[in-house]
Each structure stands twice: as structure tokens, then as C-alpha cells.
Amino acid sequence: MREDTLATRVVEHFRAAFEDATIRLEEPYDHYGNRGSVDVYVRVRTPDPVEYLIELKGDAALGHVTGANEVLRQYRRMERYFYKDDEHELRRSVRRTGPGVRVLLLFAPTPRCVEHVHEFRRLYGSVEESGTVAAIPADRKVAFLTNLDDAANGGLGFVTVNGDVDVRTDGFAELVPVGSRLASALDSAALREPTVD
């Protein structure tokens, strides 16, 4: 599954789920030579502003990286430098009760992505779920996308692999929608013991 397909579904979801969402694809950032782009940048009001920085990974992207370390470097660089450039700023809110930014690393629901995440689950599990970005509360997720076919109705979802989550467990399987692409990918994936990086 290609990343442009994933990006299309993410855009469809946010357009359907939120009124007046600001959505930008391949949003660039540049902080003193730390350049990159966010696959999908979204700003919504719930009623306080919440921003999403989304890194998408499909099969082709995994073929171009040396491993999970490189994927995590891209993900962490996005979080670290996006709000340090001159173009982007997170706004504080005294009313805020939840995160002001959600930093997501979302994988396609394919056997190759399942195998990759499983093999490097200790590295992906090391991503802390909460913290701050630019002094604003942040939520971080590493997850598989689900319900891709319902994105246009605002039904896109994800199943997280943060922490000690193992895709081979019954607990994980219970979170996966029955008959979904992710369920099929889990059935088809050749899962080996994880590599220690």
C-alpha cells in the first residue's frame, strides 16, 4: 500500500470528521539546517486548537530505510524541529484540558508493515505516549491504520503499538476490526522473534 493512498485517506477522514480543519500535505519545516517535511499536518478545533503531525509509512517507504532507527529518527526530527522554524507556532490555551499536539507515526495495514513493526517492536515501544512539544502537552502514537474504507465518513482509526504491545497477543487481536485489512495482514505476516537494535 502506497503512502499517497494513506495520505488520501487521512485527508478524507479529517475533512469528514472536523469542520474547518486546516490540512496540508508535505508541510515543510526548516530550523538551521534541520529540514524535513510532515507527511500530513492538520489543525482542528475541539474547541481548543489541536494540531496533528502525521508521519505515514507504507511498504515502499520501508524498502528505502535501513530499519526502525531511521524511521524513528525521521519521526523524532519532525517533532523536535517542526515548531522551531519561523513558519510554525503552537498556541497556548489556559482552557486546554488535553494535548495541544498529537504526533503520530502511522503504518499501513499490510503484512510487510506488520512484520517490520513486530521485528522492531522494542524500538517502537520506546516512544513515550505523553510529553510536551514546544512546552505544550503532547500525545504520541505509533500505530497501524484501520478502517481505511470508512475514511470519507470520518471513520478512519488506528490500533496503537506503544509500550509493550505485541501484535501476536490476543489483547492486540481484540482491538483489530474483524475482517479488516489489518486482520488479514496479521494472518498473512511471517512473524519472527524481534531483533535487538
Side-chain angles (χ1 to χ4, degrees):
M1 180 169 288
R2 295 169 27 167
E3 287 177 30
D4 57 351
T5 301
L6 301 177
T8 299
R9 297 296 185 264
V10 168
V11 169
E12 289 173 346
H13 168 77
F14 278 99
R15 283 189 178 148
F18 298 94
E19 289 183 25
D20 300 324
T22 300
I23 304 169
R24 296 189 192 116
L25 298 174
E26 296 297 329
E27 178 71 3
Y29 60 88
D30 184 0
H31 174 71
Y32 296 110
N34 294 295
R35 295 182 181 142
S37 64
V38 174
D39 288 335
V40 185
Y41 162 80
V42 181
R43 186 168 196 269
V44 299
R45 290 196 164 277
T46 63
D48 289 329
V50 177
E51 298 193 6
Y52 292 78
L53 306 180
I54 304 170
E55 180 75 20
L56 299 168
K57 293 296 174 199
D59 292 351
L62 296 181
H64 297 311
V65 297
T66 58
N69 281 331
E70 186 176 343
V71 172
L72 285 170
R73 267 193 303 274
Q74 292 171 354
Y75 173 71
R76 289 181 171 135
R77 185 180 333 130
M78 169 184 76
E79 176 183 338
R80 189 174 299 128
Y81 297 114
F82 187 78
Y83 293 107
K84 287 187 177 180
D85 76 356
D86 294 332
E87 301 297 319
H88 306 99
E89 181 182 4
L90 270 173
R91 296 184 183 107
R92 288 177 169 64
S93 171
V94 294
R95 300 180 309 173
R96 187 176 305 286
T97 58
V101 62
R102 298 185 186 276
V103 187
L104 307 177
L105 173 56
L106 302 177
F107 288 90
T110 66
R112 183 171 187 180
C113 288
V114 168
E115 291 163 4
H116 171 84
V117 170
H118 173 70
E119 182 177 359
F120 298 106
R121 77 173 187 255
R122 290 186 184 108
L123 290 175
Y124 290 118
S126 71
V127 173
E128 293 184 22
E129 292 188 55
S130 62
T132 60
V133 173
I136 302 293
D139 181 42
R140 301 180 191 98
K141 295 282 186 250
V142 178
F144 290 101
L145 284 163
T146 61
N147 302 331
L148 291 170
D149 296 331
D150 199 30
N153 299 316
L156 188 69
F158 58 82
V159 180
T160 184
V161 294
N162 287 71
D164 295 326
V165 174
D166 185 338
V167 299
R168 297 175 300 179
T169 64
D170 291 340
F172 185 83
E174 289 172 8
L175 299 173
V176 176
V178 175
S180 67
R181 293 180 200 204
L182 182 55
S184 177
L186 286 165
D187 289 341
S188 301
L191 301 178
R192 301 177 302 188
E193 283 305 308
T195 300
V196 176
D197 262 0

